[in-house]
Amino acid sequence: MSVAAVASPSRLWPIAMLLVAMCSIQSGASLATLLFPMVGAAGATAIRLMIASALLLVILRPWRKAVTRKAWKSIAIYGVALGVMNLLFYQAIQTVPLGIAVALEFTGPLAVALLSSRRWLDLGWVALAIVGLVLLLLLGEETAAPIDPIGAAFALGAGVCWALYILFGQKAGAGNGTQSAALGITIAALCVAPIGLMEAGTALFSLDVLPLALAVAVLSTALPYTLEMAAMPKLPTHTFGTLMSLEPAVAAVSGLLFLGQSLGTLQWLAIGLVITASVGTTLTGKASDIIEAPVPD
């Protein structure tokens, strides 16, 4: 058997893990909207993160390996960014269709890729992304509802947190692997839990809420973030960025299938432009221009 044949599965597994993570997290986001009438967006975020944290602490037992002070800094920022990102995103999808919210949120990862490059070609990708955002935010069709500006602002804020999640998640995952996912999600839960409790109170722990919250926690947090943390250190940045570019399309399809959120032609076009800009900047970037993915343990 050739060396290439042996190495091929090792390259494909991280890609497969990312694809599964994307489908899982968007399916979970669709399911999470059912929690909003019961506990609100903040309550849904809090109970999801608390359950996911408990599951990962039991399964992964992150205390078995010591964490350095330097690693704690990355894990802490990763965890806070993760918590705020989820809180803002759930606020966004209360009023913005799932696919559009993810496209707006995706400006965070796109900015990470673009700001790490210094070439004129990338200005073209920036322009393409801006055209897509203008189509999403300012234009519309009779068949498509106008975008709520407050919801759009929440989604863009989530994008800033997503950028921090990528930058510090790569650093945390390089030294501590999936241990970082358990610790980071625990920090996220500690940050968001007080806000969720203020909004929903004891309703968070009702028997009507917990089964649905458990499903959301597994689909939207425990499974995808563990898979992403395992995959990120094993993939070059351009590969990771290209794959993550599919996220808005996956979200739009998920919103259509599970929530009946149909988008207008211009909105689909706008999402396509954002995806194209991200794919372009990751595929045309030079190795020296991009943030290197950390080496695995």
Side-chain angles (χ1 to χ4, degrees), residues 54 123 150 173 246 288 292:
L123 292 178
I150 296 177
L246 298 174
S288 58
E292 291 294 336

Side-chain angles (χ1 to χ4, degrees), residues 166-185:
I166 291 173
L167 293 173
F168 289 94
Q170 285 186 331
K171 293 179 182 179
N176 300 89
T178 55
Q179 178 190 30
S180 299
L183 296 173
I185 290 173

Side-chain angles (χ1 to χ4, degrees), residues 26 89 93 96-107 155 162 247-249 251-252 274:
Q26 298 307 330
F89 182 70
I93 62 174
V96 175
L98 184 59
I100 293 176
V102 173
L104 294 173
E105 185 190 26
F106 201 76
T107 54
W162 195 355
E247 189 100 39
V274 173

